[in-house]
Amino acid sequence: MIEVKNLEKRFYNFALEGIHLTVKKGFITGFIGPNGAGKSTTIRCIMNLNRRYQGDVRIFGKTHTENTEGIKQHIGFVQDENFFYGHLSLEQNKKLLAPFYKTWNEKLFKHYLDLFELPSMKKVDHLSKGMKMKFSLAMALSHDPVLIIMDEPTSGLDPVFRRELLELLQDIIQDEEKAVFFSTHITQDLEKVADFITFIDNGKIVVSEEKDALLDHYAVVKGPNEWLTTERRRLLHGVKETDIGFEGLLADKQQLAGEASGQVLLERPSLEDIMFYTVKERKNGHSTIA
């Protein structure tokens, strides 16, 4: 669905460097990273909203130069900010925007308004942040897109609706003809639904892998300080030491095969653990995990 190769985009104080990522049909791909890592910039390049970039971005096998209008007809795009006409009602906004889509499905739109409990005659300016995001989702899903790109869609949503949204996304890809590319810093959401994870930090891809394989490869290591030799320390990232012991992240737990038995504890990490220790390592002045 999406193939990005060697993407570079430079600002005066930040740059995307050599970004590679893919989004496969039939799967949910999570895009994680701390605030300011480059998630939104990458998505804006994919959507051709940032046009002055280097590299190759293909959606459905085509570039935006070849057929940007045709590409966007089949994408449901949800941004982290609201770009609707605030002084107009939801119904009025819909009437303005729906004609741009050749496959607009009015019945589906009304279904999502009911599902999300959205008042069609209420002005956008009078909606809460969460309700604005729900309206963005309703608009994005109501023209039967085959690719759904979402930039921080769960920010501002209550836990109940976040769970409902994740279930909805899983239902959407059941026919194996659609794909979801889901950017968020709320990693718990992706642990529930994502099939693949791409992790970006400071404008560079740290790792991109099938989620379960990724969590199986990494390990959080905990143990006594005396075990932490100089050589072993080099294997760990984001090490924290206290009077009672240390903890850190190991990118490949096989590197400690035979050395950890009975001396240290290896725990399966969460996505949040992987992100936290990696960013901590980079902020401490070391390189990110290869």
Side-chain angles (χ1 to χ4, degrees):
M1 289 284 195
I2 300 175
E3 187 173 20
V4 176
K5 293 181 179 179
N6 294 315
L7 174 63
E8 295 192 1
K9 172 68 178 178
R10 298 191 177 275
F11 301 92
Y12 72 95
N13 61 349
F14 177 78
L16 294 178
E17 299 183 37
I19 301 297
H20 291 258
L21 66 85
T22 59
V23 175
K24 299 180 180 181
K25 181 190 293 187
F27 297 100
I28 297 174
T29 298
F31 194 32
I32 66 171
N35 290 331
K39 300 188 300 297
S40 294
T41 300
T42 301
I43 287 176
R44 288 180 64 82
C45 290
I46 290 172
M47 289 298 298
N48 202 36
L49 298 175
N50 282 340
R51 295 190 176 118
R52 294 185 179 180
Y53 60 80
Q54 293 181 329
D56 190 36
V57 175
R58 293 182 179 270
I59 304 177
F60 315 128
K62 297 183 180 296
T63 67
H64 282 284
T65 302
E66 293 171 325
N67 187 12
T68 190
E69 183 178 346
I71 287 170
K72 291 179 180 179
Q73 283 290 328
H74 301 289
I75 296 176
F77 184 37
V78 180
Q79 300 186 69
D80 60 344
E81 296 182 30
N82 167 51
F83 292 99
F84 297 109
Y85 297 99
H87 64 289
L88 299 181
S89 69
L90 307 192
E91 179 66 20
Q92 289 170 324
N93 270 277
K94 182 267 298 183
K95 286 181 178 179
L96 285 174
L97 298 172
F100 287 98
Y101 296 103
K102 298 176 182 178
T103 56
W104 181 262
N105 187 326
E106 185 65 17
K107 183 177 179 181
L108 193 57
F109 175 71
K110 291 180 178 178
H111 164 74
Y112 284 124
L113 287 188
D114 290 340
L115 180 66
F116 299 160
E117 298 180 331
L118 291 170
S120 63
M121 302 313 295
K122 196 167 186 176
K123 291 182 179 180
V124 171
D125 279 345
H126 296 165
L127 299 179
S128 67
K129 182 178 180 181
M131 292 182 75
K132 288 176 183 177
M133 181 58 72
K134 291 180 182 181
F135 182 53
S136 295
L137 285 163
M139 291 295 297
L141 297 174
S142 294
H143 62 280
D144 291 319
V146 295
L147 172 61
I148 300 164
I149 298 177
M150 301 189 296
D151 189 5
E152 301 285 358
T154 55
S155 62
L157 298 180
D158 64 75
V160 173
F161 185 73
R162 278 171 50 199
R163 287 290 294 270
E164 291 174 349
L165 171 61
L166 299 179
E167 290 180 1
L168 176 62
L169 296 179
Q170 287 180 307
D171 291 341
I172 285 171
I173 63 165
Q174 286 306 306
D175 64 2
E176 299 185 352
E177 293 298 319
K178 299 179 178 68
V180 175
F181 186 48
F182 185 161
S183 160
T184 184
H185 63 274
I186 306 175
T187 54
Q188 299 95 322
D189 290 343
L190 291 176
E191 287 198 42
K192 295 182 178 74
V193 299
D195 302 292
F196 294 89
I197 295 292
T198 295
F199 172 22
I200 187 172
D201 180 43
N202 199 32
K204 302 180 182 68
I205 298 297
V206 177
V207 65
S208 187
E209 194 172 354
E210 191 270 328
K211 181 192 68 180
D212 290 333
L214 175 67
L215 295 176
D216 286 341
H217 289 165
Y218 282 75
V220 174
V221 184
K222 299 179 180 180
N225 291 327
E226 55 267 25
W227 182 89
L228 196 62
T229 63
T230 301
E231 183 176 345
R232 287 167 174 165
R233 183 188 293 274
R234 291 194 188 101
L235 299 176
L236 301 177
H237 302 268
V239 174
K240 176 184 177 181
E241 294 181 74
T242 67
D243 292 339
I244 60 173
F246 77 91
E247 61 182 59
L249 182 71
L250 184 64
D252 182 0
K253 63 185 179 184
Q254 296 304 316
Q255 290 178 305
L256 285 184
E259 292 191 43
S261 179
Q263 301 178 65
V264 296
L265 179 65
L266 299 184
E267 296 181 349
R268 192 173 195 259
S270 64
L271 291 176
E272 183 176 313
D273 288 331
I274 294 173
M275 192 165 74
F276 170 76
Y277 287 108
T278 303
V279 173
K280 181 181 178 183
E281 181 76 3
R282 192 251 307 161
K283 288 182 176 180
N284 287 340
H286 303 286
S287 62
T288 52
I289 300 169

